[in-house]
Amino acid sequence: MSESILAITGPTSGIGLGTVKALVTTFDRILLLARNLEKAAYLKKELLELNPDLKVDIIKCDLSELDSVRQAANTIKDQFDHIDCLINNAGIFLTSRKESVDGYELTMATNYLGPFLLTHELLPLVMNSERKQIVVVSSGAYKFAPMKRPFFKPKRFSSIACYGRSKLGTLYLAQELHEQYSRKGLKTTAVHPGVVSTNLGKNNVSHTLGELVFKLLDPFFLTVDEGSQSVISAVLQPDKYAGVYSEEGKVAAVKRYGSDFKMRREFIDATLEELSLQEL
């Protein structure tokens, strides 16, 4: 039996940090796909203290930059022939408009385009594993706004709408993966773990905007441990959560924009075209 490998984005803080610490004895090796290498090195030390037998690799990956994603994927493919579980966890929430180096709205670039490309590049390795599992960290925020063209370079910026659409995109990604690959053994789930306030850039929010944003998001706020638990449960129970969307560990019906198949098809096709890909 080959060693079991977990790959996770955004592992150095928030939900990702809580998740990876809880899984130190579940996998033989953990690949930390991180933007901040200093934080990743510190995390590696922590993980090895928790499980000295664990193998930990740090992979430089800035999800907002497509070239960084490609380089990270190539590094992994050069060293490994399989990944048992991929957790697309990293995400951001912005309160002012910013663009990625590739010219996309930064929230959509980081939360959706980067993870989509990474998933595409690593999917063959996942399918070559015994476990064949992908966990997509989405959000109940997918209900905040319908998907709208132009998808990746919106004419107007709204913190809540851009975040919601990026998370709607991750939900579409999970749905598409399930439809296309579940018959081949892939177990995909979309998880709404609850919003951990420290992950939302609270320190960068103006008082007025902060009052509005956090009032709207308050029902979703959880502690890091609470938020991590739903992701951990999904990883540990792949059959239970395969092909479904869950909110805080409970299987939930997808509502509103998340069940718009026509828009999902249009959005996924637009993503493939934008990234010059033939298929997911």
Side-chain angles (χ1 to χ4, degrees), residues 1-22:
M1 181 180 294
S2 59
E3 67 175 0
S4 57
I5 302 176
L6 165 68
I8 179 172
T9 64
T12 61
S13 64
I15 291 171
L17 179 60
T19 298
V20 77
K21 283 186 175 181

Side-chain angles (χ1 to χ4, degrees), residues 196-240:
V196 180
S197 60
T198 52
N199 283 351
L200 295 175
K202 221 172 187 180
N203 294 332
N204 298 320
V205 181
S206 68
H207 178 74
T208 302
L209 183 57
E211 287 296 316
L212 171 62
V213 171
F214 292 107
K215 182 178 180 180
L216 286 170
L217 295 179
D218 184 65
F220 301 114
F221 282 172
L222 293 174
T223 66
V224 169
D225 287 341
E226 288 172 336
S228 302
Q229 192 55 52
S230 59
V231 180
I232 296 163
S233 295
V235 173
L236 298 180
Q237 302 176 75
D239 292 321
K240 176 180 178 180

Side-chain angles (χ1 to χ4, degrees), residues 119-233:
T119 300
H120 172 272
E121 294 298 310
L122 297 183
L123 186 58
L125 274 65
V126 175
M127 297 304 295
N128 194 44
S129 73
E130 296 178 10
R131 193 182 189 99
K132 296 182 177 65
Q133 184 181 27
I134 295 179
V135 176
V136 176
V137 178
S138 187
S139 171
Y142 79 83
K143 306 167 192 172
F144 287 178
M147 200 62 77
K148 183 180 179 181
R149 285 185 177 274
F151 297 131
F152 315 116
K153 301 176 182 180
K155 296 178 181 179
R156 296 181 180 179
F157 177 83
S158 162
S159 299
I160 296 174
C162 285
Y163 181 74
R165 286 174 182 138
S166 73
K167 288 304 183 179
L168 178 56
T170 63
L171 178 59
Y172 285 163
L173 170 60
Q175 292 171 337
E176 198 72 13
L177 285 167
H178 174 69
E179 287 194 7
Q180 292 193 32
Y181 295 96
S182 60
R183 295 178 184 176
K184 298 178 182 179
L186 181 64
K187 298 178 177 66
T188 309
T189 184
V191 178
H192 166 49
V195 176
V196 180
S197 60
T198 52
N199 283 351
L200 295 175
K202 221 172 187 180
N203 294 332
N204 298 320
V205 181
S206 68
H207 178 74
T208 302
L209 183 57
E211 287 296 316
L212 171 62
V213 171
F214 292 107
K215 182 178 180 180
L216 286 170
L217 295 179
D218 184 65
F220 301 114
F221 282 172
L222 293 174
T223 66
V224 169
D225 287 341
E226 288 172 336
S228 302
Q229 192 55 52
S230 59
V231 180
I232 296 163
S233 295

